[in-house]
Amino acid sequence: ADAFERAYHIELDLMGFKKPLNDFWMLDNGGDEKYDVYFFSGPWGGFTMPEWPDRVLSTAATYVPYFGMNSRIYDIYGKSEGKRFLETTSAHEFLHSIQFSYNVIMPRWFMESTSTWVESIVYDGGLVDDEDDIDDPDEIGETNAYNDYSHLLRYWFTHPDLGLDVFDGWH
């Protein structure tokens, strides 16, 4: 909950992105209009799903999101790495919900790359001057997400023959 609150504050209040749509008008809205976060056990850290269309056109669609977070992260990665994974995944998935409020029909590579990028903006390791022009809250011992995606870049650069629209779990 704290990680989603932090992502909300930084991505909306400080970065100025559009607020994700809520499910106030839906009959089965999880009990209220707050963003729904469900827990699951599976092969992903988390996911964001479009729940209900707000507007659907031939060139754009906006959707109400809900989130899924892996309840076994601590079992898989341990407490320290599990905490980092939950925090960065929350920031990543929350940006997907923002993307849904603009247009869910955008290239998947763009959605994934920008959501991966925002992990290091929301969790910058507590750097006071991280040169990103965002006056974010810095905490002692804060998760540092700067190097989390370097292994993904290595794969990407060793496969220049693959297009940006290839989705194979790494590219």
Side-chain angles (χ1 to χ4, degrees), residues 68-116:
M69 297 295 287
N70 193 332
S71 61
R72 296 190 60 238
I73 289 292
Y74 283 11
D75 296 338
I76 297 168
Y77 295 101
K79 187 174 182 179
S80 176
E81 284 298 297
K83 180 179 185 290
R84 180 182 60 79
F85 227 81
L86 281 172
E87 290 175 336
T88 57
T89 301
S90 297
H92 179 109
E93 299 305 332
F94 194 75
L95 188 65
H96 284 318
S97 71
I98 291 170
Q99 293 164 340
F100 290 4
S101 70
Y102 287 99
N103 185 5
V104 77
I105 308 171
M106 62 175 73
R108 190 167 180 177
W109 70 265
F110 179 78
M111 293 177 85
E112 288 302 324
S113 62
T114 54
S115 291
T116 301

Short mmCIF file of all heavy atoms in Angstrom, two decimals, residues 68-116:
data_model
loop_
_atom_site.label_atom_id
_atom_site.label_comp_id
_atom_site.label_asym_id
_atom_site.label_seq_id
_atom_site.Cartn_x
_atom_site.Cartn_y
_atom_site.Cartn_z
N GLY A 68 -2.65 -6.56 -9.99
CA GLY A 68 -2.35 -7.84 -9.37
C GLY A 68 -0.90 -7.82 -8.92
O GLY A 68 -0.01 -7.39 -9.66
N MET A 69 -0.65 -8.23 -7.69
CA MET A 69 0.71 -8.29 -7.16
C MET A 69 0.97 -9.71 -6.65
O MET A 69 0.11 -10.31 -6.02
CB MET A 69 0.88 -7.30 -6.01
CG MET A 69 0.70 -5.84 -6.41
SD MET A 69 1.93 -5.24 -7.56
CE MET A 69 3.35 -5.13 -6.49
N ASN A 70 2.16 -10.21 -6.95
CA ASN A 70 2.51 -11.57 -6.57
C ASN A 70 2.70 -11.66 -5.05
O ASN A 70 3.56 -10.99 -4.48
CB ASN A 70 3.79 -12.01 -7.29
CG ASN A 70 4.03 -13.49 -7.19
OD1 ASN A 70 3.60 -14.14 -6.24
ND2 ASN A 70 4.70 -14.04 -8.18
N SER A 71 1.91 -12.49 -4.41
CA SER A 71 1.97 -12.64 -2.95
C SER A 71 3.17 -13.47 -2.50
O SER A 71 3.44 -13.55 -1.30
CB SER A 71 0.68 -13.27 -2.43
OG SER A 71 0.51 -14.56 -2.99
N ARG A 72 3.88 -14.07 -3.43
CA ARG A 72 5.01 -14.93 -3.08
C ARG A 72 6.37 -14.27 -3.34
O ARG A 72 7.39 -14.94 -3.34
CB ARG A 72 4.92 -16.24 -3.87
CG ARG A 72 3.67 -17.03 -3.48
CD ARG A 72 3.67 -18.44 -4.04
NE ARG A 72 4.82 -19.17 -3.54
CZ ARG A 72 5.75 -19.72 -4.34
NH1 ARG A 72 5.66 -19.62 -5.64
NH2 ARG A 72 6.76 -20.39 -3.83
N ILE A 73 6.40 -12.98 -3.55
CA ILE A 73 7.66 -12.28 -3.86
C ILE A 73 8.70 -12.53 -2.77
O ILE A 73 9.86 -12.80 -3.07
CB ILE A 73 7.41 -10.76 -4.05
CG1 ILE A 73 6.67 -10.51 -5.35
CG2 ILE A 73 8.71 -9.98 -4.00
CD1 ILE A 73 7.46 -10.80 -6.60
N TYR A 74 8.32 -12.45 -1.49
CA TYR A 74 9.29 -12.68 -0.41
C TYR A 74 9.80 -14.11 -0.45
O TYR A 74 10.96 -14.36 -0.16
CB TYR A 74 8.68 -12.37 0.95
CG TYR A 74 8.57 -10.90 1.28
CD1 TYR A 74 8.79 -9.91 0.33
CD2 TYR A 74 8.25 -10.48 2.55
CE1 TYR A 74 8.69 -8.57 0.64
CE2 TYR A 74 8.14 -9.14 2.88
CZ TYR A 74 8.37 -8.20 1.91
OH TYR A 74 8.28 -6.87 2.22
N ASP A 75 8.92 -15.06 -0.76
CA ASP A 75 9.34 -16.47 -0.85
C ASP A 75 10.35 -16.67 -1.98
O ASP A 75 11.28 -17.45 -1.85
CB ASP A 75 8.13 -17.38 -1.11
CG ASP A 75 7.13 -17.36 0.03
OD1 ASP A 75 7.52 -17.01 1.17
OD2 ASP A 75 5.96 -17.70 -0.22
N ILE A 76 10.16 -15.97 -3.07
CA ILE A 76 11.01 -16.15 -4.25
C ILE A 76 12.34 -15.42 -4.09
O ILE A 76 13.40 -15.98 -4.37
CB ILE A 76 10.28 -15.64 -5.52
CG1 ILE A 76 9.03 -16.49 -5.77
CG2 ILE A 76 11.21 -15.67 -6.74
CD1 ILE A 76 8.08 -15.90 -6.81
N TYR A 77 12.31 -14.16 -3.62
CA TYR A 77 13.51 -13.32 -3.60
C TYR A 77 14.08 -13.04 -2.21
O TYR A 77 15.13 -12.43 -2.11
CB TYR A 77 13.21 -11.97 -4.28
CG TYR A 77 12.90 -12.12 -5.73
CD1 TYR A 77 11.60 -12.07 -6.19
CD2 TYR A 77 13.92 -12.33 -6.66
CE1 TYR A 77 11.31 -12.21 -7.54
CE2 TYR A 77 13.64 -12.47 -8.01
CZ TYR A 77 12.33 -12.42 -8.43
OH TYR A 77 12.06 -12.56 -9.76
N GLY A 78 13.40 -13.44 -1.16
CA GLY A 78 13.84 -13.10 0.19
C GLY A 78 13.28 -11.76 0.61
O GLY A 78 12.72 -11.02 -0.20
N LYS A 79 13.42 -11.42 1.89
CA LYS A 79 12.79 -10.21 2.41
C LYS A 79 13.36 -8.93 1.82
O LYS A 79 12.62 -8.05 1.39
CB LYS A 79 12.90 -10.17 3.93
CG LYS A 79 12.12 -9.03 4.54
CD LYS A 79 12.12 -9.09 6.04
CE LYS A 79 11.29 -7.94 6.59
NZ LYS A 79 11.22 -7.96 8.03
N SER A 80 14.68 -8.79 1.76
CA SER A 80 15.30 -7.56 1.26
C SER A 80 15.01 -7.35 -0.22
O SER A 80 14.54 -6.28 -0.62
CB SER A 80 16.80 -7.60 1.51
OG SER A 80 17.41 -6.46 0.95
N GLU A 81 15.31 -8.33 -1.03
CA GLU A 81 15.05 -8.22 -2.48
C GLU A 81 13.55 -8.20 -2.76
O GLU A 81 13.09 -7.54 -3.69
CB GLU A 81 15.72 -9.37 -3.23
CG GLU A 81 17.21 -9.21 -3.39
CD GLU A 81 17.56 -7.97 -4.19
OE1 GLU A 81 17.20 -7.88 -5.38
OE2 GLU A 81 18.21 -7.08 -3.64
N GLY A 82 12.77 -8.92 -1.97
CA GLY A 82 11.32 -8.93 -2.15
C GLY A 82 10.71 -7.57 -1.94
O GLY A 82 9.84 -7.13 -2.69
N LYS A 83 11.20 -6.85 -0.93
CA LYS A 83 10.71 -5.48 -0.67
C LYS A 83 11.02 -4.58 -1.86
O LYS A 83 10.17 -3.83 -2.33
CB LYS A 83 11.35 -4.93 0.60
CG LYS A 83 10.91 -3.52 0.96
CD LYS A 83 11.59 -3.07 2.24
CE LYS A 83 11.10 -1.72 2.71
NZ LYS A 83 11.51 -0.61 1.90
N ARG A 84 12.25 -4.65 -2.37
CA ARG A 84 12.64 -3.86 -3.53
C ARG A 84 11.77 -4.20 -4.73
O ARG A 84 11.30 -3.32 -5.45
CB ARG A 84 14.12 -4.10 -3.87
CG ARG A 84 14.61 -3.31 -5.06
CD ARG A 84 16.06 -3.62 -5.39
NE ARG A 84 16.29 -5.01 -5.71
CZ ARG A 84 16.01 -5.56 -6.90
NH1 ARG A 84 15.50 -4.85 -7.86
NH2 ARG A 84 16.26 -6.83 -7.12
N PHE A 85 11.53 -5.48 -4.92
CA PHE A 85 10.71 -5.93 -6.05
C PHE A 85 9.28 -5.41 -5.93
O PHE A 85 8.70 -4.95 -6.91
CB PHE A 85 10.72 -7.46 -6.10
CG PHE A 85 10.98 -8.02 -7.46
CD1 PHE A 85 12.26 -8.10 -7.95
CD2 PHE A 85 9.93 -8.46 -8.25
CE1 PHE A 85 12.51 -8.62 -9.21
CE2 PHE A 85 10.17 -8.98 -9.51
CZ PHE A 85 11.46 -9.05 -9.98
N LEU A 86 8.69 -5.49 -4.74
CA LEU A 86 7.33 -4.99 -4.55
C LEU A 86 7.24 -3.49 -4.79
O LEU A 86 6.30 -3.00 -5.42
CB LEU A 86 6.84 -5.31 -3.14
CG LEU A 86 6.36 -6.73 -2.89
CD1 LEU A 86 6.08 -6.95 -1.41
CD2 LEU A 86 5.12 -7.04 -3.71
N GLU A 87 8.23 -2.75 -4.30
CA GLU A 87 8.20 -1.30 -4.46
C GLU A 87 8.35 -0.89 -5.92
O GLU A 87 7.56 -0.09 -6.43
CB GLU A 87 9.31 -0.66 -3.61
CG GLU A 87 9.02 -0.75 -2.13
CD GLU A 87 10.14 -0.24 -1.26
OE1 GLU A 87 11.31 -0.22 -1.71
OE2 GLU A 87 9.85 0.15 -0.11
N THR A 88 9.34 -1.44 -6.59
CA THR A 88 9.55 -1.04 -7.99
C THR A 88 8.42 -1.55 -8.88
O THR A 88 8.02 -0.86 -9.82
CB THR A 88 10.91 -1.54 -8.52
OG1 THR A 88 11.01 -2.95 -8.38
CG2 THR A 88 12.05 -0.87 -7.77
N THR A 89 7.89 -2.72 -8.57
CA THR A 89 6.77 -3.24 -9.36
C THR A 89 5.53 -2.38 -9.17
O THR A 89 4.78 -2.13 -10.13
CB THR A 89 6.47 -4.71 -8.99
OG1 THR A 89 7.65 -5.49 -9.25
CG2 THR A 89 5.32 -5.28 -9.79
N SER A 90 5.30 -1.88 -7.97
CA SER A 90 4.16 -0.98 -7.73
C SER A 90 4.28 0.29 -8.56
O SER A 90 3.30 0.75 -9.16
CB SER A 90 4.06 -0.63 -6.24
OG SER A 90 3.83 -1.79 -5.48
N ALA A 91 5.48 0.88 -8.60
CA ALA A 91 5.69 2.09 -9.40
C ALA A 91 5.48 1.79 -10.88
O ALA A 91 4.85 2.57 -11.61
CB ALA A 91 7.10 2.63 -9.17
N HIS A 92 5.98 0.65 -11.34
CA HIS A 92 5.86 0.22 -12.73
C HIS A 92 4.38 0.03 -13.11
O HIS A 92 3.91 0.58 -14.10
CB HIS A 92 6.62 -1.11 -12.88
CG HIS A 92 6.58 -1.72 -14.24
ND1 HIS A 92 7.69 -1.74 -15.05
CD2 HIS A 92 5.58 -2.36 -14.92
CE1 HIS A 92 7.37 -2.36 -16.18
NE2 HIS A 92 6.10 -2.73 -16.12
N GLU A 93 3.67 -0.73 -12.29
CA GLU A 93 2.27 -1.03 -12.59
C GLU A 93 1.39 0.22 -12.49
O GLU A 93 0.45 0.38 -13.26
CB GLU A 93 1.75 -2.14 -11.68
CG GLU A 93 2.48 -3.46 -11.82
CD GLU A 93 2.52 -4.02 -13.25
OE1 GLU A 93 1.61 -3.73 -14.04
OE2 GLU A 93 3.47 -4.75 -13.56
N PHE A 94 1.70 1.11 -11.55
CA PHE A 94 0.89 2.32 -11.44
C PHE A 94 1.02 3.19 -12.69
O PHE A 94 0.04 3.80 -13.13
CB PHE A 94 1.22 3.13 -10.18
CG PHE A 94 0.18 4.16 -9.89
CD1 PHE A 94 -1.04 3.79 -9.36
CD2 PHE A 94 0.39 5.49 -10.20
CE1 PHE A 94 -2.03 4.73 -9.13
CE2 PHE A 94 -0.58 6.44 -9.97
CZ PHE A 94 -1.80 6.06 -9.43
N LEU A 95 2.21 3.22 -13.29
CA LEU A 95 2.34 3.98 -14.54
C LEU A 95 1.48 3.36 -15.64
O LEU A 95 0.91 4.07 -16.46
CB LEU A 95 3.78 4.12 -15.00
CG LEU A 95 3.93 5.08 -16.19
CD1 LEU A 95 3.56 6.51 -15.81
CD2 LEU A 95 5.32 5.05 -16.77
N HIS A 96 1.35 2.03 -15.65
CA HIS A 96 0.45 1.41 -16.62
C HIS A 96 -0.98 1.92 -16.44
O HIS A 96 -1.69 2.17 -17.42
CB HIS A 96 0.46 -0.12 -16.50
CG HIS A 96 1.66 -0.79 -17.08
ND1 HIS A 96 2.22 -0.43 -18.29
CD2 HIS A 96 2.41 -1.82 -16.62
CE1 HIS A 96 3.25 -1.20 -18.54
NE2 HIS A 96 3.39 -2.06 -17.55
N SER A 97 -1.42 2.10 -15.20
CA SER A 97 -2.79 2.60 -14.98
C SER A 97 -2.94 4.03 -15.50
O SER A 97 -3.99 4.41 -16.02
CB SER A 97 -3.16 2.53 -13.49
OG SER A 97 -2.45 3.49 -12.73
N ILE A 98 -1.88 4.81 -15.41
CA ILE A 98 -1.88 6.17 -15.97
C ILE A 98 -1.96 6.08 -17.49
O ILE A 98 -2.72 6.82 -18.13
CB ILE A 98 -0.63 6.94 -15.52
CG1 ILE A 98 -0.70 7.23 -14.02
CG2 ILE A 98 -0.46 8.23 -16.32
CD1 ILE A 98 0.59 7.77 -13.43
N GLN A 99 -1.19 5.18 -18.08
CA GLN A 99 -1.23 4.99 -19.53
C GLN A 99 -2.64 4.62 -19.99
O GLN A 99 -3.10 5.09 -21.02
CB GLN A 99 -0.23 3.90 -19.94
CG GLN A 99 1.20 4.29 -19.74
CD GLN A 99 2.17 3.11 -19.78
OE1 GLN A 99 1.78 1.96 -19.61
NE2 GLN A 99 3.44 3.41 -20.02
N PHE A 100 -3.34 3.80 -19.21
CA PHE A 100 -4.71 3.41 -19.55
C PHE A 100 -5.64 4.62 -19.59
O PHE A 100 -6.65 4.61 -20.29
CB PHE A 100 -5.27 2.40 -18.54
CG PHE A 100 -4.66 1.03 -18.60
CD1 PHE A 100 -3.60 0.72 -19.45
CD2 PHE A 100 -5.15 0.03 -17.79
CE1 PHE A 100 -3.06 -0.55 -19.49
CE2 PHE A 100 -4.63 -1.25 -17.83
CZ PHE A 100 -3.57 -1.54 -18.67
N SER A 101 -5.33 5.66 -18.82
CA SER A 101 -6.18 6.86 -18.82
C SER A 101 -5.93 7.75 -20.03
O SER A 101 -6.74 8.61 -20.34
CB SER A 101 -5.99 7.66 -17.53
OG SER A 101 -4.73 8.27 -17.48
N TYR A 102 -4.80 7.54 -20.71
CA TYR A 102 -4.52 8.26 -21.94
C TYR A 102 -4.98 7.46 -23.15
O TYR A 102 -5.75 7.94 -23.97
CB TYR A 102 -3.01 8.55 -22.07
CG TYR A 102 -2.51 9.62 -21.15
CD1 TYR A 102 -1.87 9.29 -19.97
CD2 TYR A 102 -2.65 10.96 -21.47
CE1 TYR A 102 -1.39 10.28 -19.13
CE2 TYR A 102 -2.18 11.96 -20.64
CZ TYR A 102 -1.55 11.61 -19.45
OH TYR A 102 -1.08 12.58 -18.63
N ASN A 103 -4.46 6.24 -23.27
CA ASN A 103 -4.79 5.39 -24.41
C ASN A 103 -4.21 4.00 -24.19
O ASN A 103 -3.00 3.83 -24.24
CB ASN A 103 -4.26 5.99 -25.72
CG ASN A 103 -4.70 5.21 -26.94
OD1 ASN A 103 -5.48 4.27 -26.85
ND2 ASN A 103 -4.20 5.60 -28.08
N VAL A 104 -5.06 3.03 -23.98
CA VAL A 104 -4.59 1.66 -23.77
C VAL A 104 -4.08 1.04 -25.08
O VAL A 104 -3.33 0.08 -25.06
CB VAL A 104 -5.69 0.80 -23.11
CG1 VAL A 104 -6.73 0.39 -24.12
CG2 VAL A 104 -5.10 -0.41 -22.40
N ILE A 105 -4.46 1.66 -26.21
CA ILE A 105 -4.01 1.17 -27.51
C ILE A 105 -2.75 1.94 -27.92
O ILE A 105 -2.74 2.74 -28.82
CB ILE A 105 -5.11 1.35 -28.59
CG1 ILE A 105 -6.43 0.76 -28.13
CG2 ILE A 105 -4.67 0.71 -29.90
CD1 ILE A 105 -7.59 1.09 -29.05
N MET A 106 -1.67 1.70 -27.19
CA MET A 106 -0.38 2.28 -27.56
C MET A 106 0.60 1.11 -27.66
O MET A 106 0.33 0.05 -27.12
CB MET A 106 0.08 3.34 -26.57
CG MET A 106 0.30 2.90 -25.16
SD MET A 106 0.98 4.19 -24.07
CE MET A 106 -0.40 5.26 -23.82
N PRO A 107 1.70 1.30 -28.36
CA PRO A 107 2.63 0.18 -28.52
C PRO A 107 3.09 -0.39 -27.18
O PRO A 107 3.45 0.35 -26.26
CB PRO A 107 3.81 0.80 -29.28
CG PRO A 107 3.24 2.01 -29.95
CD PRO A 107 2.15 2.51 -29.05
N ARG A 108 3.06 -1.71 -27.09
CA ARG A 108 3.41 -2.38 -25.84
C ARG A 108 4.86 -2.09 -25.43
O ARG A 108 5.15 -1.93 -24.25
CB ARG A 108 3.18 -3.88 -25.98
CG ARG A 108 3.28 -4.62 -24.68
CD ARG A 108 2.75 -6.01 -24.81
NE ARG A 108 2.86 -6.68 -23.53
CZ ARG A 108 2.41 -7.88 -23.32
NH1 ARG A 108 1.83 -8.55 -24.28
NH2 ARG A 108 2.55 -8.44 -22.14
N TRP A 109 5.76 -1.99 -26.42
CA TRP A 109 7.16 -1.72 -26.08
C TRP A 109 7.28 -0.35 -25.40
O TRP A 109 8.08 -0.18 -24.49
CB TRP A 109 8.07 -1.78 -27.32
CG TRP A 109 7.88 -0.66 -28.30
CD1 TRP A 109 7.09 -0.66 -29.41
CD2 TRP A 109 8.49 0.63 -28.26
NE1 TRP A 109 7.16 0.55 -30.05
CE2 TRP A 109 8.02 1.37 -29.36
CE3 TRP A 109 9.39 1.24 -27.39
CZ2 TRP A 109 8.41 2.67 -29.62
CZ3 TRP A 109 9.78 2.56 -27.65
CH2 TRP A 109 9.29 3.24 -28.76
N PHE A 110 6.46 0.61 -25.83
CA PHE A 110 6.49 1.94 -25.23
C PHE A 110 5.95 1.88 -23.80
O PHE A 110 6.51 2.47 -22.89
CB PHE A 110 5.68 2.92 -26.08
CG PHE A 110 5.65 4.31 -25.50
CD1 PHE A 110 6.74 5.15 -25.65
CD2 PHE A 110 4.55 4.76 -24.79
CE1 PHE A 110 6.73 6.43 -25.11
CE2 PHE A 110 4.53 6.03 -24.25
CZ PHE A 110 5.63 6.86 -24.40
N MET A 111 4.85 1.16 -23.62
CA MET A 111 4.26 1.04 -22.29
C MET A 111 5.24 0.38 -21.31
O MET A 111 5.41 0.83 -20.19
CB MET A 111 2.96 0.24 -22.35
CG MET A 111 1.85 0.96 -23.10
SD MET A 111 0.36 -0.03 -23.24
CE MET A 111 -0.43 0.35 -21.69
N GLU A 112 5.91 -0.69 -21.75
CA GLU A 112 6.83 -1.41 -20.87
C GLU A 112 8.11 -0.61 -20.60
O GLU A 112 8.59 -0.57 -19.47
CB GLU A 112 7.16 -2.78 -21.44
CG GLU A 112 6.02 -3.77 -21.35
CD GLU A 112 5.51 -3.99 -19.93
OE1 GLU A 112 6.31 -4.00 -18.97
OE2 GLU A 112 4.28 -4.14 -19.77
N SER A 113 8.64 0.03 -21.63
CA SER A 113 9.90 0.76 -21.43
C SER A 113 9.70 1.97 -20.52
O SER A 113 10.53 2.25 -19.66
CB SER A 113 10.53 1.15 -22.76
OG SER A 113 9.68 2.03 -23.48
N THR A 114 8.61 2.70 -20.68
CA THR A 114 8.38 3.87 -19.83
C THR A 114 8.02 3.45 -18.41
O THR A 114 8.41 4.11 -17.44
CB THR A 114 7.31 4.80 -20.41
OG1 THR A 114 6.11 4.06 -20.66
CG2 THR A 114 7.78 5.46 -21.69
N SER A 115 7.31 2.34 -18.25
CA SER A 115 7.00 1.85 -16.91
C SER A 115 8.25 1.34 -16.20
O SER A 115 8.38 1.48 -14.99
CB SER A 115 5.93 0.75 -16.98
OG SER A 115 4.70 1.30 -17.36
N THR A 116 9.17 0.77 -16.95
CA THR A 116 10.45 0.34 -16.36
C THR A 116 11.28 1.57 -15.99
O THR A 116 11.90 1.61 -14.92
CB THR A 116 11.21 -0.57 -17.33
OG1 THR A 116 10.39 -1.71 -17.62
CG2 THR A 116 12.52 -1.03 -16.75
#
